[in-house]
Amino acid sequence: MDEPQDKYYLGFFDDAEQFVAVMDFIDHYPTERSCFIGFFMMERSVQGHGIGSRIVTELCVYLHSLGYEYIRLGYVDGNKQSESFWKKNQFTDTGLRNHTQDYTVVVMNRML
């Protein structure tokens, strides 16, 4: 298996330059024309206002313009907040599961 080529931590700021979100992002993984979101965390005080969805939408538009085919991510099975957020943002269950000793990760994709 190839190692990820590029791993980034992206910070997002609001208009007042307050830090509101962070994303762990692996470029060209699991394929050359895809990327993987390792985690995406929002400041609790700005959750539920559409900012996270706007960040995801803008990322998707940008990656599509560069010729990417899809974005992949995983969430811990049973985390209803994560499941709801990613489904709302057009990610679909691939049917793949990664099992660890403590939890199962549900793998999702969004086609670009």
Side-chain angles (χ1 to χ4, degrees):
M1 182 169 106
D2 293 333
E3 292 297 317
Q5 298 297 311
D6 297 295
K7 182 172 180 167
Y8 303 95
Y9 293 94
L10 306 175
F12 300 92
F13 298 83
D14 65 12
D15 293 336
E17 298 184 14
Q18 297 295 312
F19 185 72
V20 295
V22 63
M23 180 183 290
D24 168 46
F25 179 85
I26 303 172
D27 200 9
H28 308 297
Y29 180 82
T31 67
E32 184 63 28
R33 295 183 61 163
S34 68
C35 59
F36 189 91
I37 297 174
F39 65 79
F40 180 53
M41 294 184 289
M42 296 286 304
E43 175 67 41
R44 185 174 301 277
S45 64
V46 298
Q47 290 180 7
H49 295 97
I51 296 168
S53 293
R54 191 167 63 227
I55 289 169
V56 170
T57 297
E58 289 178 14
L59 176 66
C60 290
V61 168
Y62 177 68
L63 292 172
H64 178 73
S65 76
L66 297 177
Y68 285 77
E69 295 173 346
Y70 67 95
I71 298 176
R72 176 168 285 183
L73 57 84
Y75 72 90
V76 175
D77 194 17
N79 183 333
K80 295 299 182 188
Q81 182 180 11
S82 290
E83 178 183 9
S84 176
F85 176 79
W86 293 117
K87 283 182 176 180
K88 178 177 72 172
N89 283 283
Q90 302 172 28
F91 283 79
T92 58
D93 189 334
T94 64
L96 298 172
R97 300 291 185 269
N98 293 329
H99 302 282
T100 73
Q101 183 176 353
D102 299 319
Y103 56 87
T104 298
V105 174
V106 177
V107 180
M108 301 183 89
N109 282 355
R110 176 172 167 171
M111 301 308 293
L112 303 174

Coordinates of all heavy atoms in Angstrom, one line a residue, residues 33 61-68:
R33 N -6.5 10.6 -7.5 CA -7.5 11.6 -7.8 C -8.6 11.7 -6.7 O -9.8 12.0 -7.0 CB -8.1 11.4 -9.2 CG -7.1 11.5 -10.3 CD -7.6 11.4 -11.6 NE -8.6 12.4 -11.9 CZ -9.1 12.7 -13.1 NH1 -8.6 12.1 -14.1 NH2 -10.0 13.6 -13.2
V61 N -16.0 22.0 -4.2 CA -16.0 22.8 -5.5 C -14.6 23.0 -5.9 O -14.2 22.8 -7.1 CB -16.7 24.2 -5.3 CG1 -16.5 25.1 -6.5 CG2 -18.2 23.9 -5.1
Y62 N -13.7 23.4 -5.0 CA -12.3 23.6 -5.3 C -11.6 22.3 -5.8 O -11.0 22.3 -6.9 CB -11.6 24.1 -4.1 CG -10.1 24.4 -4.3 CD1 -9.7 25.3 -5.2 CD2 -9.2 23.6 -3.7 CE1 -8.3 25.5 -5.5 CE2 -7.8 23.7 -4.0 CZ -7.4 24.7 -4.8 OH -6.1 24.9 -5.1
L63 N -11.8 21.2 -5.1 CA -11.2 20.0 -5.5 C -11.7 19.5 -6.9 O -11.0 19.0 -7.7 CB -11.4 18.9 -4.4 CG -10.6 19.1 -3.1 CD1 -11.1 18.1 -2.1 CD2 -9.1 19.1 -3.3
H64 N -13.0 19.6 -7.1 CA -13.6 19.3 -8.4 C -12.9 20.1 -9.5 O -12.6 19.6 -10.6 CB -15.1 19.5 -8.4 CG -15.7 19.2 -9.7 ND1 -15.9 17.9 -10.2 CD2 -16.3 20.0 -10.6 CE1 -16.5 18.0 -11.4 NE2 -16.7 19.2 -11.7
S65 N -12.7 21.4 -9.3 CA -12.1 22.2 -10.3 C -10.6 21.8 -10.6 O -10.1 22.1 -11.7 CB -12.0 23.7 -9.8 OG -11.1 23.9 -8.9
L66 N -10.0 21.1 -9.7 CA -8.7 20.5 -9.9 C -8.7 19.1 -10.5 O -7.6 18.6 -10.7 CB -7.9 20.5 -8.6 CG -7.6 21.9 -7.9 CD1 -6.9 21.7 -6.5 CD2 -6.8 22.8 -8.8
G67 N -9.8 18.6 -10.7 CA -9.9 17.3 -11.4 C -10.0 16.1 -10.4 O -9.9 14.9 -10.8
Y68 N -10.3 16.3 -9.1 CA -10.5 15.2 -8.2 C -11.8 14.5 -8.5 O -12.7 15.2 -8.9 CB -10.4 15.7 -6.7 CG -9.0 16.1 -6.3 CD1 -8.4 17.3 -6.7 CD2 -8.3 15.2 -5.4 CE1 -7.1 17.6 -6.3 CE2 -7.1 15.5 -5.0 CZ -6.5 16.7 -5.4 OH -5.2 17.0 -5.0

